[in-house]
Amino acid sequence: MLEAKEYAKIFADRIAKGAFLTTCDGQKSDTMTIGWGSVGYMWAIPTVTVMVRQTRLTKENLNQVKSFTISVPVDDSYKDAIALCGTKSGRDLDKFAAAGLKCKASKAGTTPVIDGKGLLQLECTVLYERLMDVDALAPELKDKWYTGDTEHTIYVAKITDAYLD
Ligand SMILES: Cc1cc2nc3c(=O)[nH]c(=O)nc-3n(C[C@H](O)[C@H](O)[C@H](O)COP(=O)(O)O)c2cc1C
């Protein structure tokens, strides 16, 4: 497993450009682009925090299987796949096929990771989830991000493994 200072640097450098958040419902997998998230240390455990809107297939999957993986491209090689997985839902098409992505088994086994070079892989197990109370958010952010769109569920997950492919 990579040290926190190694994966945290890559994550902080790259997350705003997009990463793959992969989930499964127990049988079928899906991946979507995320651009927000943070890695840290909570409850004396290495953690990652991500935010998923209610409308995502990813949210339905996370209701069923409490694990996910994050594959963070270390450069712009996956730009087209990041764009596709951030605009199409797995409800409408197999995004892996459409984006030319393959999966491989994660070390934990439950949810796969994106199979490819130049990816920081984080394997995660949900510890905490909570639907946002948007009324508790700074008004300018509430207006900007939640006018006409659903709130996010905030997930804090344990990082069970971190490695570079
Ligand atoms: C750069 C970028 C970042 C995104 N970040 C998030 C995010 O952090 N949380 C979220 O819920 N949706 C985010 N999205 C939108 C989802 O990726 C998009 O709605 C996707 O089609 C959902 O797929 P799904 O229905 O298969 O889960 C982002 C999209 C882009 C292009």
Side-chain angles (χ1 to χ4, degrees), residues 20 31 77-85 93-103 113-117 119:
F20 302 102
T31 195
S77 306
Y78 293 84
K79 204 171 162 196
D80 293 346
I82 286 285
L84 188 142
C85 294
L93 79 171
D94 176 349
K95 280 194 270 182
F96 297 106
L101 295 171
K102 283 191 203 144
C103 281
V113 292
I114 303 296
D115 187 9
K117 294 281 175 217
L119 292 169

Side-chain angles (χ1 to χ4, degrees), residues 51-115:
M51 301 175 75
V52 178
R53 287 198 202 262
Q54 307 310 294
T55 44
R56 315 298 189 223
L57 175 60
T58 299
K59 174 69 174 68
E60 279 178 35
N61 286 349
L62 285 170
N63 289 343
Q64 295 185 55
V65 175
K66 300 293 176 190
S67 71
F68 60 85
T69 64
I70 302 176
S71 303
V72 187
V74 300
D75 58 29
D76 293 337
S77 306
Y78 293 84
K79 204 171 162 196
D80 293 346
I82 286 285
L84 188 142
C85 294
T87 48
K88 304 283 184 206
S89 175
R91 287 194 192 93
D92 303 323
L93 79 171
D94 176 349
K95 280 194 270 182
F96 297 106
L101 295 171
K102 283 191 203 144
C103 281
K104 67 172 184 178
S106 59
K107 295 188 182 172
T110 319
T111 308
V113 292
I114 303 296
D115 187 9

